[in-house]
Amino acid sequence: HQVQEEGQDRETARMLSLGLPRAGDWLSVVPLPALGLHLRPAEFVPCLKYRLGVPVYSADGTCPSCSGPSDKMGDHALGCRKHNERIARHDQLRDVLFEAASSAALAPIKEAPHLLPGSVARPGDLLIRRWVDGKDGAIDVTVTGPLAQSNVASAAAAAGGALEKAFKRKVEGAAQACQEQGISFLPFAVETLGGFHKVAVEQTKRIGAALSRHQGIEENIAIKQLFQRMSLTLMRGNAAMIMSRRPDSDLAQPEVDGIQ
């Protein structure tokens, strides 16, 4: 309450976001490099700093990707649209879902074309046939930053405020057009701090349960491992963005906490 009374929106938003479903999954993973369930030290350190609300860089400076101002906390770095790391983070999350759905024999289609007649738009990253009450389901992944300037007020006002904002933006962009074609549109929103929107939680559980049935493993284990893989993939993408956008003022520092 003290933080809120002092009007520190960023810190309020950070703490509320850390209480969202699945926000801490990546911290509870037993490292298994053979399964891709691990983070290298150079990935773990900046993600942990960002979670704890301490500077990830030595000082504010200029972003080497977009030449705009970059803050030492890492908020700009995780939302910078220049170059391909942001897209790569999205695609890696999509691929984890695609691989899980494929292994569950759900025959998913990645970025299915021609879903909307007369449009080149591809409203879903993943299409699963007869997924929702007999309708095809189009799962569309989006990552949002609750501590970004455009989101911090919403995230500080209510837990999950940035997630709801991202979810509604996706719905407004494609849900109606998909509904007209008999397709259920399913925005899959996650936060840079790790939290999952309730629809993303539901879809992950459904795919994990299908994987469990197909492979004959315990359902809770299949679901837990899928969440962990998604969580680690998100953090790996975050780390790539942070480390590739060290501002000019930080370049004089050869190491980050002893890590190159």
Side-chain angles (χ1 to χ4, degrees), residues 58-253:
S58 59
D60 298 338
T62 300
C63 175
S65 292
C66 70
S67 299
S70 178
D71 61 283
K72 64 183 179 181
M73 305 305 291
D75 297 336
H76 168 80
L78 288 180
C80 181
R81 294 176 178 270
K82 194 73 172 180
H83 298 145
N84 296 323
E85 292 93 345
R86 188 169 174 270
I87 295 173
R89 179 180 62 188
H90 165 276
D91 290 351
Q92 288 159 7
L93 289 169
R94 174 204 63 194
D95 289 348
V96 171
L97 287 176
F98 178 81
E99 291 164 8
S102 296
S103 296
L106 296 175
I109 303 171
K110 188 184 296 185
E111 296 186 354
H114 314 305
L115 292 181
L116 305 179
S119 173
V120 296
R122 298 185 178 185
D125 293 306
L126 202 69
L127 184 76
I128 302 178
R129 300 293 187 188
R130 297 176 294 281
W131 186 239
V132 181
D133 297 327
K135 296 181 180 179
D136 295 346
I139 299 174
D140 199 42
V141 176
T142 186
V143 181
T144 189
L147 307 185
Q149 290 185 0
S150 59
N151 289 329
V152 69
S154 297
L163 277 178
E164 284 297 333
K165 185 177 176 181
F167 181 87
K168 290 178 181 177
R169 183 173 63 249
K170 282 288 185 179
V171 167
E172 291 170 358
Q176 182 61 37
C178 285
Q179 184 178 353
E180 290 172 357
Q181 300 303 317
I183 298 170
S184 181
F185 183 66
L186 304 165
F188 192 104
V190 298
E191 285 191 351
T192 49
L193 279 169
F196 278 51
H197 188 274
K198 60 184 179 181
V199 172
V201 170
E202 175 188 321
Q203 293 307 308
T204 303
K205 287 181 176 180
R206 286 198 63 194
I207 293 173
L211 184 62
S212 165
R213 292 191 297 271
H214 184 70
Q215 296 190 339
I217 58 179
E218 292 185 25
E219 183 174 303
N220 65 324
I221 292 176
I223 292 173
K224 178 181 178 180
Q225 289 181 346
L226 181 54
F227 272 119
Q228 289 178 334
R229 190 177 298 278
M230 290 290 291
S231 185
L232 285 177
T233 299
L234 173 63
M235 293 303 148
R236 196 173 292 123
N238 286 347
M241 295 191 72
I242 291 173
M243 298 310 291
S244 67
R245 286 168 172 75
R246 292 176 64 183
D248 296 341
S249 60
D250 205 61
L251 294 179
Q253 304 293 328

Side-chain angles (χ1 to χ4, degrees), residues 51-63:
R51 177 182 174 88
L52 293 175
V54 299
V56 298
Y57 304 125
S58 59
D60 298 338
T62 300
C63 175

Side-chain angles (χ1 to χ4, degrees), residues 4 8-14 16-17 146-147 151-162:
Q4 289 178 314
Q8 298 179 21
D9 279 358
R10 186 186 185 279
E11 188 63 8
T12 300
R14 184 182 68 85
L16 289 176
S17 288
L147 307 185
N151 289 329
V152 69
S154 297

